[in-house]
Amino acid sequence: KAGVTQTPRYLIKTRGQQVTLSCSPISGHRSVSWYQQTPGQGLQFLFEYFSETQRNKGNFPGRFSGRQFSNSRSEMNVSTLELGDSALYLCASSLGPGGHNEQFFGPGTRLTVL
Amino acid sequence: AQTVTQSQPEMSVQEAETVTLSCTYDTSESDYYLFWYKQPPSRQMILVIRQEAYKQQNATENRFSVNFQKAAKSFSLKISDSQLGDAAMYFCAYRQTTTGGSNYKLTFGKGTLLTVNP
């Protein structure tokens, strides 16, 4: 069974641009969560989607948004990029949103903002 | 809000020796999960072991075991017979499971970088 895939693996953007990251969950998984990882702030929860609905959102500005499609694939978008958005963005999928469902992580997308 | 604290930014261990990584957490919930994740240099986050708060027995997975002290809100990871492949960043994480609660996000500690010396 294929794992969680994220595309692209690496991105370089400049300030003010926008970016879209993609996450394909494990087959059969319907819940997708996004996390931002930086050296200073560590791992922080961005949002969680289940059945095309955003269930929860972390403490990030409105420039960060996401969506989930009917096939459970998810995208996150960051508009008006800032230098501080440089980070590793991790996607995790699980069968459902319940706390007992193990989250499986993808390899991440490394975003560099110049 | 739940918080997770890992007080050891870096640890090192000799190959074949045993090392213990510390983690404390704060929560007002009674039902939750605790996890240890491993993130090798390749960056793929891997689940090492998990503990359900209502289970008193400490979880064990091969060379990995935990010491779960619910009253003290402590959750340490012991790695026995350390191998070179154990070198990685280790994250302690918390996730609530309360029925009716809708936020099942993982809350992570800052991580402990483990070096294994040959």
Side-chain angles (χ1 to χ4, degrees):
Chain A
K1 188 183 252 189
V4 179
T5 57
Q6 293 187 244
T7 56
R9 292 292 310 277
Y10 302 92
L11 264 179
I12 299 176
K13 293 286 187 179
T14 57
R15 279 181 299 173
Q17 287 187 309
Q18 77 166 21
V19 66
T20 299
L21 312 182
S22 179
C23 171
S24 293
I26 292 171
S27 178
H29 285 193
R30 297 172 61 198
S31 180
V32 173
S33 297
W34 289 87
Y35 296 85
Q36 181 196 63
Q37 185 176 18
T38 60
Q41 298 298 317
L43 282 147
Q44 293 185 288
F45 171 75
L46 277 158
F47 22 65
E48 177 191 17
Y49 287 89
F50 176 69
S51 293
E52 302 176 65
T53 301
Q54 185 181 89
R55 289 179 51 85
N56 290 292
K57 190 178 192 315
N59 188 25
F60 279 83
R63 301 185 296 107
F64 290 81
S65 63
R67 59 178 175 169
Q68 186 180 35
F69 302 94
S70 59
N71 62 357
S72 296
R73 189 177 69 86
S74 178
E75 289 181 347
M76 67 163 282
N77 183 277
V78 188
S79 62
T80 320
L81 284 166
E82 299 178 359
L83 295 178
D85 297 333
S86 294
L88 180 69
Y89 290 88
L90 294 171
C91 163
S93 79
S94 59
L95 285 170
H100 60 286
N101 288 308
E102 181 179 345
Q103 291 193 338
F104 295 83
F105 283 83
T109 294
R110 168 70 65 185
L111 173 64
T112 301
V113 182
L114 302 176
Chain B
Q2 294 83 12
T3 59
V4 177
T5 302
Q6 293 179 249
S7 59
Q8 306 152 316
E10 297 183 27
M11 293 279 287
S12 64
V13 64
Q14 291 296 125
E15 198 175 2
E17 297 291 304
T18 295
V19 65
T20 299
L21 308 184
S22 301
C23 172
T24 58
Y25 60 95
D26 189 26
T27 183
S28 58
E29 304 290 334
S30 60
D31 193 15
Y32 48 88
Y33 282 99
L34 295 166
F35 306 86
W36 279 98
Y37 282 91
K38 171 185 177 182
Q39 190 178 41
S42 67
R43 297 292 185 175
Q44 188 99 25
M45 191 86 73
I46 303 164
L47 177 65
V48 174
I49 198 167
R50 77 175 186 177
Q51 175 79 42
E52 298 170 70
Y54 68 86
K55 288 187 176 179
Q56 293 189 344
Q57 186 172 7
N58 290 324
T60 300
E61 288 286 343
N62 301 314
R63 297 182 295 107
F64 299 87
S65 61
V66 299
N67 184 2
F68 173 50
Q69 302 289 327
K70 191 172 184 179
K73 296 181 181 175
S74 169
F75 182 61
S76 61
L77 174 69
K78 186 171 82 170
I79 306 174
S80 304
D81 186 25
S82 296
Q83 300 175 0
L84 295 177
D86 295 333
M89 182 73 84
Y90 285 81
F91 293 97
C92 178
Y94 165 100
R95 194 180 194 197
Q96 73 178 57
T97 59
T98 307
T99 302
S102 61
N103 194 341
Y104 299 110
K105 68 174 183 177
L106 282 164
T107 299
F108 290 90
K110 294 289 191 184
T112 296
L113 180 62
L114 179 66
T115 302
V116 181
N117 300 309

